[in-house]
Short mmCIF file of all heavy atoms in Angstrom, two decimals:
data_model
loop_
_atom_site.label_atom_id
_atom_site.label_comp_id
_atom_site.label_asym_id
_atom_site.label_seq_id
_atom_site.Cartn_x
_atom_site.Cartn_y
_atom_site.Cartn_z
N ASN I 1 114.90 89.63 121.85
CA ASN I 1 114.50 90.80 121.05
C ASN I 1 113.09 90.70 120.52
O ASN I 1 112.72 91.36 119.57
CB ASN I 1 115.47 90.98 119.87
CG ASN I 1 116.88 91.24 120.37
OD1 ASN I 1 117.08 91.99 121.30
ND2 ASN I 1 117.85 90.59 119.73
N GLU I 2 112.26 89.81 121.12
CA GLU I 2 110.89 89.68 120.65
C GLU I 2 110.13 90.98 120.89
O GLU I 2 110.28 91.63 121.92
CB GLU I 2 110.19 88.52 121.37
CG GLU I 2 110.73 87.16 120.95
CD GLU I 2 110.05 86.04 121.69
OE1 GLU I 2 109.32 86.34 122.66
OE2 GLU I 2 110.26 84.87 121.33
N VAL I 3 109.27 91.40 119.92
CA VAL I 3 108.51 92.64 120.02
C VAL I 3 107.04 92.33 119.90
O VAL I 3 106.64 91.49 119.09
CB VAL I 3 108.93 93.64 118.91
CG1 VAL I 3 108.15 94.93 119.05
CG2 VAL I 3 110.42 93.92 119.00
N ASP I 4 106.23 92.97 120.68
CA ASP I 4 104.79 92.79 120.64
C ASP I 4 104.25 93.25 119.29
O ASP I 4 104.44 94.40 118.90
CB ASP I 4 104.15 93.60 121.77
CG ASP I 4 102.68 93.26 121.95
OD1 ASP I 4 102.09 92.72 121.00
OD2 ASP I 4 102.14 93.56 123.03
N PRO I 5 103.55 92.36 118.54
CA PRO I 5 103.01 92.76 117.24
C PRO I 5 102.09 93.96 117.34
O PRO I 5 102.01 94.76 116.41
CB PRO I 5 102.24 91.49 116.80
CG PRO I 5 102.89 90.38 117.54
CD PRO I 5 103.29 90.96 118.84
N ALA I 6 101.39 94.10 118.46
CA ALA I 6 100.47 95.25 118.61
C ALA I 6 101.24 96.56 118.59
O ALA I 6 100.76 97.58 118.07
CB ALA I 6 99.69 95.12 119.92
N VAL I 7 102.45 96.56 119.16
CA VAL I 7 103.28 97.77 119.16
C VAL I 7 103.69 98.12 117.74
O VAL I 7 103.67 99.28 117.34
CB VAL I 7 104.52 97.56 120.05
CG1 VAL I 7 105.44 98.77 119.99
CG2 VAL I 7 104.08 97.30 121.49
N LEU I 8 104.08 97.11 116.95
CA LEU I 8 104.47 97.34 115.56
C LEU I 8 103.32 97.93 114.76
O LEU I 8 103.50 98.84 113.95
CB LEU I 8 104.95 96.03 114.93
CG LEU I 8 106.27 95.47 115.45
CD1 LEU I 8 106.55 94.14 114.76
CD2 LEU I 8 107.41 96.43 115.20
N LEU I 9 102.11 97.40 114.97
CA LEU I 9 100.94 97.87 114.24
C LEU I 9 100.64 99.32 114.59
O LEU I 9 100.32 100.14 113.73
CB LEU I 9 99.74 96.98 114.57
CG LEU I 9 98.43 97.33 113.86
CD1 LEU I 9 98.62 97.20 112.35
CD2 LEU I 9 97.31 96.41 114.32
N LYS I 10 100.77 99.63 115.89
CA LYS I 10 100.52 100.99 116.34
C LYS I 10 101.50 101.97 115.70
O LYS I 10 101.14 103.06 115.24
CB LYS I 10 100.63 101.06 117.86
CG LYS I 10 100.32 102.43 118.46
CD LYS I 10 100.41 102.35 119.97
CE LYS I 10 100.12 103.74 120.57
NZ LYS I 10 100.21 103.70 122.06
N ASP I 11 102.79 101.56 115.65
CA ASP I 11 103.81 102.42 115.03
C ASP I 11 103.54 102.60 113.55
O ASP I 11 103.75 103.68 112.99
CB ASP I 11 105.20 101.81 115.24
CG ASP I 11 105.63 101.92 116.70
OD1 ASP I 11 105.01 102.71 117.43
OD2 ASP I 11 106.57 101.20 117.08
N ALA I 12 103.08 101.54 112.88
CA ALA I 12 102.82 101.62 111.44
C ALA I 12 101.71 102.62 111.15
O ALA I 12 101.79 103.41 110.21
CB ALA I 12 102.45 100.24 110.91
N LYS I 13 100.65 102.56 111.97
CA LYS I 13 99.53 103.48 111.77
C LYS I 13 99.95 104.92 112.04
O LYS I 13 99.53 105.86 111.37
CB LYS I 13 98.38 103.10 112.70
CG LYS I 13 97.68 101.81 112.29
CD LYS I 13 96.56 101.50 113.25
CE LYS I 13 95.83 100.23 112.79
NZ LYS I 13 94.74 99.89 113.74
N LYS I 14 100.80 105.08 113.04
CA LYS I 14 101.26 106.42 113.41
C LYS I 14 102.05 107.06 112.28
O LYS I 14 101.96 108.26 112.02
CB LYS I 14 102.10 106.31 114.67
CG LYS I 14 102.64 107.65 115.18
CD LYS I 14 103.45 107.43 116.45
CE LYS I 14 104.03 108.76 116.94
NZ LYS I 14 104.83 108.57 118.15
N ASN I 15 102.83 106.29 111.57
CA ASN I 15 103.71 106.82 110.53
C ASN I 15 103.08 106.77 109.14
O ASN I 15 103.69 107.21 108.18
CB ASN I 15 105.03 106.04 110.50
CG ASN I 15 105.81 106.23 111.80
OD1 ASN I 15 105.79 107.31 112.38
ND2 ASN I 15 106.47 105.18 112.26
N ALA I 16 101.89 106.22 109.06
CA ALA I 16 101.27 106.06 107.75
C ALA I 16 101.11 107.36 106.98
O ALA I 16 101.35 107.41 105.78
CB ALA I 16 99.91 105.38 107.91
N PRO I 17 100.69 108.48 107.63
CA PRO I 17 100.51 109.73 106.86
C PRO I 17 101.78 110.23 106.21
O PRO I 17 101.73 111.02 105.28
CB PRO I 17 100.03 110.72 107.93
CG PRO I 17 99.43 109.85 108.99
CD PRO I 17 100.26 108.63 109.01
N LEU I 18 102.92 109.82 106.68
CA LEU I 18 104.18 110.29 106.11
C LEU I 18 104.50 109.63 104.79
O LEU I 18 105.38 110.08 104.07
CB LEU I 18 105.32 110.02 107.10
CG LEU I 18 105.16 110.71 108.48
CD1 LEU I 18 106.33 110.30 109.38
CD2 LEU I 18 105.10 112.24 108.31
N VAL I 19 103.79 108.55 104.45
CA VAL I 19 104.08 107.83 103.22
C VAL I 19 103.30 108.45 102.08
O VAL I 19 102.08 108.60 102.14
CB VAL I 19 103.67 106.35 103.36
CG1 VAL I 19 103.97 105.61 102.06
CG2 VAL I 19 104.43 105.72 104.52
N LYS I 20 104.02 108.83 101.02
CA LYS I 20 103.39 109.41 99.85
C LYS I 20 102.92 108.32 98.93
O LYS I 20 103.63 107.38 98.65
CB LYS I 20 104.39 110.31 99.11
CG LYS I 20 104.80 111.53 99.91
CD LYS I 20 105.73 112.40 99.09
CE LYS I 20 106.15 113.65 99.87
NZ LYS I 20 107.04 114.53 99.11
N LYS I 21 101.67 108.41 98.52
CA LYS I 21 101.08 107.40 97.66
C LYS I 21 101.23 107.83 96.21
O LYS I 21 100.65 108.81 95.78
CB LYS I 21 99.60 107.21 97.99
CG LYS I 21 99.38 106.70 99.42
CD LYS I 21 97.91 106.52 99.70
CE LYS I 21 97.67 106.03 101.11
NZ LYS I 21 96.25 105.85 101.42
N HIS I 22 102.03 107.11 95.48
CA HIS I 22 102.24 107.36 94.06
C HIS I 22 101.57 106.26 93.27
O HIS I 22 101.57 105.11 93.66
CB HIS I 22 103.74 107.41 93.73
CG HIS I 22 104.43 108.54 94.46
ND1 HIS I 22 104.28 109.85 94.13
CD2 HIS I 22 105.29 108.51 95.52
CE1 HIS I 22 105.01 110.63 94.94
NE2 HIS I 22 105.62 109.81 95.80
N LYS I 23 101.01 106.60 92.16
CA LYS I 23 100.32 105.63 91.33
C LYS I 23 101.23 104.51 90.87
O LYS I 23 100.81 103.39 90.72
CB LYS I 23 99.72 106.34 90.10
CG LYS I 23 98.55 107.22 90.46
CD LYS I 23 97.94 107.81 89.19
CE LYS I 23 96.74 108.70 89.52
NZ LYS I 23 96.12 109.27 88.29
N LYS I 24 102.52 104.81 90.69
CA LYS I 24 103.42 103.78 90.16
C LYS I 24 103.64 102.65 91.16
O LYS I 24 104.03 101.55 90.79
CB LYS I 24 104.77 104.38 89.76
CG LYS I 24 105.56 104.98 90.93
CD LYS I 24 106.87 105.55 90.42
CE LYS I 24 107.70 106.16 91.56
NZ LYS I 24 108.98 106.69 91.05
N HIS I 25 103.36 102.96 92.45
CA HIS I 25 103.53 101.90 93.45
C HIS I 25 102.48 100.82 93.31
O HIS I 25 102.66 99.72 93.78
CB HIS I 25 103.46 102.50 94.85
CG HIS I 25 104.65 103.35 95.19
ND1 HIS I 25 104.66 104.23 96.25
CD2 HIS I 25 105.88 103.46 94.59
CE1 HIS I 25 105.83 104.85 96.32
NE2 HIS I 25 106.58 104.40 95.30
N ARG I 26 101.33 101.16 92.66
CA ARG I 26 100.26 100.19 92.57
C ARG I 26 100.58 99.03 91.62
O ARG I 26 99.86 98.05 91.59
CB ARG I 26 98.98 100.89 92.09
CG ARG I 26 98.47 101.91 93.10
CD ARG I 26 97.27 102.62 92.56
NE ARG I 26 96.81 103.64 93.50
CZ ARG I 26 95.83 104.49 93.24
NH1 ARG I 26 95.20 104.45 92.07
NH2 ARG I 26 95.47 105.38 94.14
N ILE I 27 101.63 99.14 90.83
CA ILE I 27 101.98 98.07 89.88
C ILE I 27 102.68 96.89 90.55
O ILE I 27 102.68 95.78 90.05
CB ILE I 27 102.87 98.64 88.74
CG1 ILE I 27 102.87 97.67 87.56
CG2 ILE I 27 104.29 98.90 89.25
CD1 ILE I 27 103.55 98.24 86.34
N TRP I 28 103.27 97.16 91.74
CA TRP I 28 104.06 96.10 92.40
C TRP I 28 103.24 94.87 92.78
O TRP I 28 103.71 93.74 92.62
CB TRP I 28 104.76 96.67 93.65
CG TRP I 28 105.97 97.48 93.26
CD1 TRP I 28 106.10 98.82 93.30
CD2 TRP I 28 107.19 96.96 92.74
NE1 TRP I 28 107.34 99.21 92.85
CE2 TRP I 28 108.04 98.06 92.50
CE3 TRP I 28 107.67 95.67 92.45
CZ2 TRP I 28 109.32 97.92 92.00
CZ3 TRP I 28 108.94 95.55 91.95
CH2 TRP I 28 109.76 96.66 91.73
N PRO I 29 102.01 95.02 93.28
CA PRO I 29 101.23 93.80 93.56
C PRO I 29 101.05 92.91 92.36
O PRO I 29 101.05 91.68 92.48
CB PRO I 29 99.90 94.35 94.08
CG PRO I 29 100.25 95.69 94.65
CD PRO I 29 101.31 96.23 93.73
#
């Protein structure tokens, strides 16, 4: 079940606009 890391990165970038950025998320780091 090994997956190419490049494929994962591509999928992450593709779906990035769907993520809503809320200020409260910035406290987690």
Side-chain angles (χ1 to χ4, degrees):
N1 298 318
E2 290 179 349
V3 181
D4 190 340
V7 176
L8 291 177
L9 181 61
K10 183 178 179 180
D11 289 344
K13 289 180 178 179
K14 181 179 178 181
N15 296 324
L18 300 177
V19 179
K20 295 183 179 180
K21 297 181 181 180
H22 298 287
K23 290 184 179 181
K24 63 180 180 179
H25 290 165
R26 295 177 183 175
I27 197 172
W28 283 108

